[in-house]
Amino acid sequence: MNPLPVQSAVNIRSHLQVRHWSRKAKRFAVVLSFLAPSLLLYGLFMLYPMFDAVRLSLFDWDGASPTMSYIGLDNYMNLLKDDVFMQSLFHNLVWVVISLTLVVIPTLVLAVLISKVKKGKLFFRAGFYLPSVISLAVVGVLWAKIYDPLMGPINVTLQKAGLGSLAHNWLGEQWTVLPALVIVGTWAFYGSFLILYLAGLQNIDPSLYEAAEIDGAGPVRKFLSITIPSLRYTMNVVISMVIIYAFKGFALIWIMTQGGPFYKSEVVSTYIYKSAFGMNKVSYATAGGVLLAVIVITLTILFNQWRERRE
């Protein structure tokens, strides 16, 4: 038995493995060289603040003192006992439910109607998309004028129509302030969701509708049996965006009510801001921010898992 051919085969195999890994290393280096700037910026401005926020939430710090006291999970335990924080979290959940009700199906119906328009389709698209490009600060000021209890067009119209009993101080009463703010938030992002639906509608095969018409299906049947199933991926994206926007909402609430009256429009983001910069409880506010991030990520993951099981 001659060992030389076996040794030679081992050497050749080893040499090929070295060349294989060498090529992979070079390919990885090329990919990394393109991604390095983005990874560096993402790590510097996203990952580092996230990890530092978790670290900071474990201390007792007012944002100005040179020293910080380690308190472990006390900030999180205190948040769970904080009535205002829990009320703010409940308001966020209410915001999610109302937003989903106002956006998911109504926006889809609107997109279908616009797609059926023969003339002026661009006008309607631009008109509904316009609020999405306006600054939220401008939207807040504009709707604060609309909701004005004395001069606002809503109350003025109701009074002229003989429905003065329906007029309210929309942003000043506890039962109307949160729905009024959700309507504004929905209006501000309606155009973005509409564009997503319109793009999805263009990808539906027209032959499906033609076949349904031959079978005698009406508009409602075609909407339920063709449009909605064909747009399920788009609807998933819209639902995910609505949930994220509902929990991240800050600018509109801060501009229009600052969480009032009596915390009736307080959400987690505004309470975090007040805790950090009004009460000088920076670590406490940071713990609230970490909790909010965990809730949003958990809801998004659960929704996507539920969606994948259904598919």
Side-chain angles (χ1 to χ4, degrees):
M1 183 175 179
N2 188 4
L4 288 177
V6 176
Q7 187 66 32
S8 177
V10 170
N11 291 336
I12 292 173
R13 184 177 180 182
S14 176
H15 179 69
L16 290 175
Q17 285 182 341
V18 169
R19 288 184 60 184
H20 172 72
W21 286 110
S22 176
R23 283 198 298 268
K24 277 199 167 185
K26 288 180 180 177
R27 193 177 305 163
F28 178 75
V30 172
V31 173
L32 187 62
S33 65
F34 284 103
L35 294 178
S38 299
L39 289 176
L40 181 64
L41 292 175
Y42 187 78
L44 187 63
F45 294 106
M46 291 295 292
L47 296 180
Y48 172 72
M50 288 169 61
F51 287 113
D52 195 52
V54 174
R55 181 191 65 84
L56 189 58
S57 68
L58 303 177
F59 289 84
D60 180 17
W61 188 47
D62 61 3
S65 301
T67 58
M68 297 187 295
S69 303
Y70 180 78
I71 58 172
L73 298 176
D74 284 1
N75 282 327
Y76 295 96
M77 301 303 293
N78 292 331
L79 277 171
L80 297 178
K81 299 175 184 174
D82 189 333
D83 291 337
V84 178
F85 178 80
M86 297 307 292
Q87 187 179 8
S88 305
L89 188 58
F90 174 73
H91 290 159
N92 274 115
L93 295 174
V94 172
W95 193 298
V96 169
V97 173
I98 299 177
S99 295
L100 289 174
T101 305
L102 294 176
V103 168
V104 178
I105 296 300
T107 312
L108 176 56
V109 173
L110 184 63
V112 171
L113 293 175
I114 290 178
S115 67
K116 302 294 183 186
V117 172
K118 300 295 183 184
K119 293 183 179 179
K121 189 179 296 185
L122 183 61
F123 169 78
F124 288 108
R125 287 183 180 183
F128 282 105
Y129 188 70
L130 184 61
S132 300
V133 301
I134 300 176
S135 165
L136 288 178
V138 176
V139 172
V141 173
L142 172 66
W143 276 87
K145 299 292 184 186
I146 294 174
Y147 283 136
D148 188 283
L150 299 177
M151 305 295 291
I154 295 178
N155 281 355
V156 170
T157 304
L158 289 172
Q159 288 166 356
K160 287 186 176 179
L163 301 172
S165 60
L166 298 178
H168 290 278
N169 183 1
W170 301 99
L171 299 178
E173 298 178 13
Q174 60 175 334
W175 300 112
T176 59
V177 60
L178 194 58
L181 288 172
V182 177
I183 289 173
V184 178
T186 304
W187 180 82
F189 294 105
Y190 229 74
S192 301
F193 304 131
L194 185 70
I195 293 299
L196 289 175
Y197 278 134
L198 287 171
L201 286 171
Q202 292 178 351
N203 294 325
I204 299 177
D205 188 353
S207 63
L208 295 175
Y209 291 108
E210 294 170 1
E213 288 179 0
I214 294 173
D215 292 339
V220 176
R221 186 64 181 172
K222 287 190 286 186
F223 178 77
L224 296 176
S225 301
I226 299 177
T227 304
I228 289 182
S230 300
L231 291 179
R232 60 183 183 277
Y233 296 113
T234 306
M235 293 177 72
N236 293 333
V237 173
V238 169
I239 292 172
S240 298
M241 291 176 66
V242 168
I243 294 173
I244 293 171
Y245 287 168
F247 277 99
K248 287 175 59 180
F250 173 81
L252 284 176
I253 302 167
W254 192 255
I255 291 168
M256 298 178 72
T257 64
Q258 296 190 359
F262 305 109
Y263 301 112
K264 293 303 178 184
S265 63
E266 197 82 77
V267 293
V268 173
S269 58
T270 56
Y271 187 57
I272 289 172
Y273 183 84
K274 290 177 181 176
S275 299
F277 303 106
M279 296 180 273
N280 295 325
K281 298 162 66 176
V282 173
S283 293
Y284 188 72
T286 306
V290 173
L291 266 183
L292 180 64
V294 170
I295 291 171
V296 173
I297 292 172
T298 303
L299 284 177
T300 306
I301 291 174
L302 290 176
F303 170 72
N304 281 285
Q305 286 181 342
W306 172 79
R307 174 181 58 82
E308 289 176 0
R309 280 199 298 269
R310 283 175 58 88
E311 293 171 353

